[in-house]
Amino acid sequence: MQDDEIVAIYRATIRPLYAYVSRRVGGDRAMAEDLVQDTWMRALDAWPRRGRPDEPLAWLLRVARNTMISHFRRIRPESVDPQTIDLEAPGPLPDEPDVAATVSWGLARLRRRHAELIEAFYFDGKSVREIATERSMTEKAVEGRLRRARAVLKKKLAKLVRPAGTPARAIKERTIHERHS
């Protein structure tokens, strides 16, 4: 690949890639920049060896998503009580870094199909109708799957709630134990 081709792809993709990541980290600029930079570093490493993908933006979005999942599997947000997050809200989640980190932590622990539905609805602002059309499903099927995905996410987020008097270390040990069982 030529340098000018990489620069052209970068210019064409940087804004949508940054917007995608930024929405999922609640506008946390430093985190979004780090994740976008990491995504582009992976592209610069992979593309010369494997060739440029047919759809660079789609490739970058997938890598960014996987990078965020890896990031949120390593951390444990503690600043927001997950019970205060309204997953039944008809529109996007509040655009706050702590809320986004908490939700992203939970999404990193869901099956991909559940996480993608929640992401499309809450982070991308797509309607049930748009999601149904994209996935060749009925709206009723999307609503049912979205309802089940929310229920699973609520259970995952409930693990973040620390009972009064329980030290953070005990919660972390419980989480490690649950992963290995």
Side-chain angles (χ1 to χ4, degrees), residues 6 8-21 23 36 39-40 43 47 52-65:
I6 291 173
I9 293 169
Y10 177 84
R11 287 183 178 150
T13 61
I14 192 64
R15 285 196 172 132
L17 177 63
Y18 183 83
Y20 173 87
V21 173
R23 278 191 304 269
V36 168
T39 300
W40 261 100
W47 293 357
R52 179 183 65 85
D54 292 336
E55 295 188 36
L57 181 58
W59 188 95
L60 290 163
L61 293 174
R62 187 178 66 245
V63 170
R65 182 180 187 282

CSV table of all heavy atoms in Angstrom, one decimal, residues 6 8-21 23 36 39-40 43 47 52-65:
chain,number,residue,atom,x,y,z
A,6,ILE,N,-3.1,5.3,2.2
A,6,ILE,CA,-3.4,5.2,3.6
A,6,ILE,C,-3.9,6.6,4.1
A,6,ILE,O,-4.9,6.6,4.9
A,6,ILE,CB,-2.1,4.7,4.4
A,6,ILE,CG1,-1.8,3.3,4.1
A,6,ILE,CG2,-2.4,4.9,5.9
A,6,ILE,CD1,-0.6,2.8,4.6
A,8,ALA,N,-5.5,8.9,2.5
A,8,ALA,CA,-6.8,9.1,1.9
A,8,ALA,C,-7.8,8.3,2.7
A,8,ALA,O,-8.9,8.8,3.0
A,8,ALA,CB,-6.9,8.7,0.4
A,9,ILE,N,-7.5,7.0,3.0
A,9,ILE,CA,-8.4,6.2,3.8
A,9,ILE,C,-8.6,6.8,5.2
A,9,ILE,O,-9.7,6.9,5.8
A,9,ILE,CB,-7.9,4.7,3.9
A,9,ILE,CG1,-8.0,4.1,2.5
A,9,ILE,CG2,-8.7,3.9,4.9
A,9,ILE,CD1,-7.3,2.7,2.4
A,10,TYR,N,-7.5,7.2,5.8
A,10,TYR,CA,-7.5,7.8,7.2
A,10,TYR,C,-8.5,9.1,7.1
A,10,TYR,O,-9.3,9.2,8.0
A,10,TYR,CB,-6.1,8.3,7.6
A,10,TYR,CG,-6.1,9.0,8.9
A,10,TYR,CD1,-6.1,8.2,10.1
A,10,TYR,CD2,-6.1,10.4,9.0
A,10,TYR,CE1,-6.1,8.9,11.3
A,10,TYR,CE2,-6.1,11.0,10.2
A,10,TYR,CZ,-6.1,10.2,11.4
A,10,TYR,OH,-6.1,10.9,12.6
A,11,ARG,N,-8.3,9.9,6.2
A,11,ARG,CA,-9.1,11.1,6.1
A,11,ARG,C,-10.6,10.8,5.9
A,11,ARG,O,-11.5,11.5,6.4
A,11,ARG,CB,-8.6,12.0,5.0
A,11,ARG,CG,-7.3,12.7,5.3
A,11,ARG,CD,-6.9,13.7,4.3
A,11,ARG,NE,-5.7,14.4,4.7
A,11,ARG,CZ,-4.8,14.8,3.8
A,11,ARG,NH1,-4.9,14.7,2.5
A,11,ARG,NH2,-3.7,15.4,4.3
A,12,ALA,N,-10.9,9.7,5.1
A,12,ALA,CA,-12.2,9.3,4.9
A,12,ALA,C,-12.9,8.6,6.0
A,12,ALA,O,-14.1,8.6,6.2
A,12,ALA,CB,-12.3,8.5,3.6
A,13,THR,N,-12.1,8.0,6.9
A,13,THR,CA,-12.7,7.2,8.0
A,13,THR,C,-12.6,7.7,9.4
A,13,THR,O,-13.2,7.3,10.3
A,13,THR,CB,-12.1,5.8,8.0
A,13,THR,OG1,-10.6,5.9,8.2
A,13,THR,CG2,-12.3,5.1,6.6
A,14,ILE,N,-11.7,8.7,9.6
A,14,ILE,CA,-11.4,9.1,11.0
A,14,ILE,C,-12.6,9.7,11.7
A,14,ILE,O,-12.8,9.3,12.9
A,14,ILE,CB,-10.2,10.1,11.1
A,14,ILE,CG1,-9.7,10.2,12.5
A,14,ILE,CG2,-10.5,11.4,10.4
A,14,ILE,CD1,-9.2,9.0,13.2
A,15,ARG,N,-13.4,10.5,11.1
A,15,ARG,CA,-14.5,11.1,11.8
A,15,ARG,C,-15.6,10.1,12.1
A,15,ARG,O,-16.0,10.0,13.3
A,15,ARG,CB,-15.1,12.2,10.9
A,15,ARG,CG,-14.3,13.5,11.0
A,15,ARG,CD,-15.0,14.7,10.6
A,15,ARG,NE,-14.1,15.8,10.9
A,15,ARG,CZ,-13.9,16.8,10.0
A,15,ARG,NH1,-14.4,16.8,8.8
A,15,ARG,NH2,-13.1,17.8,10.4
A,16,PRO,N,-16.0,9.2,11.2
A,16,PRO,CA,-17.0,8.2,11.6
A,16,PRO,C,-16.5,7.2,12.6
A,16,PRO,O,-17.2,6.7,13.5
A,16,PRO,CB,-17.4,7.5,10.3
A,16,PRO,CG,-16.5,8.0,9.2
A,16,PRO,CD,-15.8,9.2,9.7
A,17,LEU,N,-15.2,6.9,12.5
A,17,LEU,CA,-14.6,5.9,13.5
A,17,LEU,C,-14.6,6.6,14.9
A,17,LEU,O,-15.0,6.0,15.8
A,17,LEU,CB,-13.2,5.6,13.0
A,17,LEU,CG,-12.4,4.7,14.0
A,17,LEU,CD1,-13.1,3.3,14.2
A,17,LEU,CD2,-11.0,4.5,13.5
A,18,TYR,N,-14.1,7.8,14.9
A,18,TYR,CA,-14.1,8.5,16.2
A,18,TYR,C,-15.5,8.7,16.8
A,18,TYR,O,-15.7,8.5,18.0
A,18,TYR,CB,-13.4,9.9,16.1
A,18,TYR,CG,-13.2,10.6,17.4
A,18,TYR,CD1,-12.2,10.3,18.2
A,18,TYR,CD2,-14.2,11.5,17.8
A,18,TYR,CE1,-12.1,10.9,19.5
A,18,TYR,CE2,-14.1,12.1,19.0
A,18,TYR,CZ,-13.0,11.8,19.9
A,18,TYR,OH,-12.9,12.4,21.1
A,19,ALA,N,-16.4,9.0,15.9
A,19,ALA,CA,-17.8,9.2,16.4
A,19,ALA,C,-18.3,7.9,17.0
A,19,ALA,O,-19.0,7.9,18.1
A,19,ALA,CB,-18.7,9.7,15.3
A,20,TYR,N,-18.1,6.8,16.3
A,20,TYR,CA,-18.5,5.4,16.8
A,20,TYR,C,-17.9,5.1,18.2
A,20,TYR,O,-18.6,4.7,19.1
A,20,TYR,CB,-18.0,4.4,15.8
A,20,TYR,CG,-18.2,3.0,16.1
A,20,TYR,CD1,-19.4,2.3,15.9
A,20,TYR,CD2,-17.2,2.2,16.8
A,20,TYR,CE1,-19.6,1.0,16.2
A,20,TYR,CE2,-17.4,0.9,17.1
A,20,TYR,CZ,-18.6,0.3,16.8
A,20,TYR,OH,-18.8,-1.0,17.2
A,21,VAL,N,-16.6,5.3,18.3
A,21,VAL,CA,-16.0,5.0,19.6
A,21,VAL,C,-16.4,6.0,20.7
A,21,VAL,O,-16.7,5.6,21.8
A,21,VAL,CB,-14.4,5.1,19.4
A,21,VAL,CG1,-13.7,4.9,20.8
A,21,VAL,CG2,-14.0,3.9,18.5
A,23,ARG,N,-19.2,7.7,21.1
A,23,ARG,CA,-20.5,7.4,21.6
A,23,ARG,C,-20.5,6.3,22.6
A,23,ARG,O,-21.2,6.3,23.6
A,23,ARG,CB,-21.5,7.0,20.5
A,23,ARG,CG,-22.0,8.2,19.7
A,23,ARG,CD,-23.2,7.7,18.8
A,23,ARG,NE,-22.8,6.7,17.8
A,23,ARG,CZ,-22.3,6.9,16.6
A,23,ARG,NH1,-22.1,8.1,16.2
A,23,ARG,NH2,-22.0,5.9,15.8
A,36,VAL,N,-9.1,4.8,19.3
A,36,VAL,CA,-9.0,5.1,17.8
A,36,VAL,C,-7.6,4.9,17.4
A,36,VAL,O,-7.3,4.3,16.3
A,36,VAL,CB,-9.6,6.4,17.4
A,36,VAL,CG1,-9.2,6.8,16.0
A,36,VAL,CG2,-11.1,6.5,17.6
A,39,THR,N,-6.8,1.3,17.2
A,39,THR,CA,-7.4,0.7,16.1
A,39,THR,C,-6.6,1.0,14.8
A,39,THR,O,-6.3,0.1,14.0
A,39,THR,CB,-8.8,1.2,15.9
A,39,THR,OG1,-9.6,0.9,17.1
A,39,THR,CG2,-9.5,0.7,14.7
A,40,TRP,N,-6.2,2.2,14.6
A,40,TRP,CA,-5.4,2.6,13.5
A,40,TRP,C,-4.0,1.9,13.5
A,40,TRP,O,-3.5,1.5,12.4
A,40,TRP,CB,-5.3,4.1,13.3
A,40,TRP,CG,-6.3,4.5,12.3
A,40,TRP,CD1,-7.5,5.1,12.5
A,40,TRP,CD2,-6.2,4.4,10.9
A,40,TRP,NE1,-8.1,5.3,11.3
A,40,TRP,CE2,-7.3,4.9,10.3
A,40,TRP,CE3,-5.2,3.9,10.0
A,40,TRP,CZ2,-7.6,4.9,8.9
A,40,TRP,CZ3,-5.4,3.9,8.6
A,40,TRP,CH2,-6.6,4.4,8.1
A,43,ALA,N,-4.5,-1.4,12.1
A,43,ALA,CA,-4.6,-1.3,10.6
A,43,ALA,C,-3.3,-1.2,9.9
A,43,ALA,O,-3.0,-1.9,9.0
A,43,ALA,CB,-5.5,-0.2,10.2
A,47,TRP,N,-2.6,-4.2,7.4
A,47,TRP,CA,-2.9,-4.0,6.0
A,47,TRP,C,-1.7,-4.2,5.1
A,47,TRP,O,-1.9,-4.8,4.0
A,47,TRP,CB,-3.5,-2.6,5.8
A,47,TRP,CG,-4.9,-2.4,6.4
A,47,TRP,CD1,-5.6,-3.4,7.0
A,47,TRP,CD2,-5.7,-1.3,6.4
A,47,TRP,NE1,-6.8,-2.9,7.4
A,47,TRP,CE2,-6.9,-1.6,7.0
A,47,TRP,CE3,-5.4,0.0,6.0
A,47,TRP,CZ2,-7.9,-0.6,7.2
A,47,TRP,CZ3,-6.4,1.0,6.2
A,47,TRP,CH2,-7.7,0.6,6.8
A,52,ARG,N,-5.3,-4.2,1.9
A,52,ARG,CA,-6.3,-3.3,2.4
A,52,ARG,C,-7.7,-4.1,2.2
A,52,ARG,O,-7.9,-4.7,1.2
A,52,ARG,CB,-6.3,-2.1,1.6
A,52,ARG,CG,-7.4,-1.1,1.9
A,52,ARG,CD,-7.4,0.1,1.0
A,52,ARG,NE,-7.7,-0.1,-0.3
A,52,ARG,CZ,-9.0,-0.2,-0.8
A,52,ARG,NH1,-10.0,0.0,0.0
A,52,ARG,NH2,-9.2,-0.4,-2.1
A,53,PRO,N,-8.5,-4.0,3.3
A,53,PRO,CA,-9.8,-4.6,3.1
A,53,PRO,C,-10.7,-3.9,2.1
A,53,PRO,O,-10.4,-2.7,1.8
A,53,PRO,CB,-10.4,-4.4,4.5
A,53,PRO,CG,-9.6,-3.4,5.2
A,53,PRO,CD,-8.3,-3.3,4.6
A,54,ASP,N,-11.7,-4.5,1.6
A,54,ASP,CA,-12.6,-3.9,0.6
A,54,ASP,C,-13.3,-2.7,1.1
A,54,ASP,O,-13.5,-1.8,0.5
A,54,ASP,CB,-13.6,-5.0,0.0
A,54,ASP,CG,-12.9,-6.0,-0.8
A,54,ASP,OD1,-11.8,-5.8,-1.3
A,54,ASP,OD2,-13.4,-7.1,-0.9
A,55,GLU,N,-13.7,-2.9,2.4
A,55,GLU,CA,-14.4,-1.8,3.1
A,55,GLU,C,-13.6,-1.4,4.4
A,55,GLU,O,-13.8,-1.9,5.4
A,55,GLU,CB,-15.8,-2.2,3.5
A,55,GLU,CG,-16.7,-2.5,2.3
A,55,GLU,CD,-18.1,-2.7,2.6
A,55,GLU,OE1,-18.6,-2.1,3.6
A,55,GLU,OE2,-18.7,-3.5,2.0
A,56,PRO,N,-12.7,-0.5,4.2
A,56,PRO,CA,-11.8,-0.1,5.3
A,56,PRO,C,-12.6,0.4,6.6
A,56,PRO,O,-12.2,0.0,7.7
A,56,PRO,CB,-10.9,1.0,4.8
A,56,PRO,CG,-10.9,0.8,3.3
A,56,PRO,CD,-12.3,0.2,3.0
A,57,LEU,N,-13.6,1.2,6.4
A,57,LEU,CA,-14.3,1.7,7.5
A,57,LEU,C,-15.0,0.5,8.3
A,57,LEU,O,-14.9,0.5,9.5
A,57,LEU,CB,-15.4,2.7,7.2
A,57,LEU,CG,-16.2,3.3,8.3
A,57,LEU,CD1,-15.3,3.9,9.4
A,57,LEU,CD2,-17.3,4.3,7.8
A,58,ALA,N,-15.6,-0.4,7.6
A,58,ALA,CA,-16.2,-1.6,8.3
A,58,ALA,C,-15.1,-2.4,9.0
A,58,ALA,O,-15.4,-2.8,10.2
A,58,ALA,CB,-16.9,-2.5,7.3
A,59,TRP,N,-14.0,-2.5,8.5
A,59,TRP,CA,-12.9,-3.2,9.1
A,59,TRP,C,-12.5,-2.5,10.4
A,59,TRP,O,-12.3,-3.1,11.5
A,59,TRP,CB,-11.7,-3.4,8.2
A,59,TRP,CG,-10.6,-4.2,8.6
A,59,TRP,CD1,-10.4,-5.5,8.4
A,59,TRP,CD2,-9.5,-3.8,9.5
A,59,TRP,NE1,-9.2,-6.0,9.0
A,59,TRP,CE2,-8.6,-5.0,9.7
A,59,TRP,CE3,-9.1,-2.6,10.1
A,59,TRP,CZ2,-7.5,-4.9,10.4
A,59,TRP,CZ3,-7.9,-2.6,10.9
A,59,TRP,CH2,-7.1,-3.7,11.0
A,60,LEU,N,-12.3,-1.2,10.3
A,60,LEU,CA,-11.9,-0.3,11.4
A,60,LEU,C,-12.9,-0.4,12.5
A,60,LEU,O,-12.6,-0.5,13.7
A,60,LEU,CB,-11.6,1.1,10.9
A,60,LEU,CG,-10.4,1.3,10.1
A,60,LEU,CD1,-10.5,2.7,9.4
A,60,LEU,CD2,-9.1,1.2,10.9
A,61,LEU,N,-14.2,-0.3,12.2
A,61,LEU,CA,-15.3,-0.4,13.2
A,61,LEU,C,-15.3,-1.7,13.9
A,61,LEU,O,-15.4,-1.7,15.1
A,61,LEU,CB,-16.6,-0.1,12.5
A,61,LEU,CG,-16.9,1.3,12.0
A,61,LEU,CD1,-18.2,1.4,11.2
A,61,LEU,CD2,-16.8,2.4,13.0
A,62,ARG,N,-15.1,-2.8,13.2
A,62,ARG,CA,-15.0,-4.1,13.8
A,62,ARG,C,-13.8,-4.2,14.8
A,62,ARG,O,-14.0,-4.7,15.9
A,62,ARG,CB,-15.0,-5.2,12.8
A,62,ARG,CG,-15.1,-6.6,13.4
A,62,ARG,CD,-15.1,-7.7,12.4
A,62,ARG,NE,-13.8,-7.8,11.7
A,62,ARG,CZ,-13.6,-7.5,10.4
A,62,ARG,NH1,-14.6,-7.2,9.6
A,62,ARG,NH2,-12.4,-7.6,9.9
A,63,VAL,N,-12.7,-3.7,14.3
A,63,VAL,CA,-11.5,-3.7,15.2
A,63,VAL,C,-11.7,-2.8,16.4
A,63,VAL,O,-11.3,-3.2,17.5
A,63,VAL,CB,-10.2,-3.4,14.4
A,63,VAL,CG1,-9.0,-3.2,15.3
A,63,VAL,CG2,-9.9,-4.5,13.3
A,64,ALA,N,-12.3,-1.7,16.2
A,64,ALA,CA,-12.5,-0.7,17.3
A,64,ALA,C,-13.5,-1.4,18.3
A,64,ALA,O,-13.3,-1.3,19.5
A,64,ALA,CB,-13.1,0.6,16.8
A,65,ARG,N,-14.5,-2.1,17.8
A,65,ARG,CA,-15.4,-2.7,18.7
A,65,ARG,C,-14.7,-3.8,19.6
A,65,ARG,O,-14.9,-3.9,20.8
A,65,ARG,CB,-16.6,-3.4,17.9
A,65,ARG,CG,-17.6,-4.0,18.8
A,65,ARG,CD,-18.7,-4.6,18.0
A,65,ARG,NE,-19.8,-5.1,18.8
A,65,ARG,CZ,-19.7,-6.3,19.5
A,65,ARG,NH1,-18.7,-7.0,19.4
A,65,ARG,NH2,-20.7,-6.6,20.3
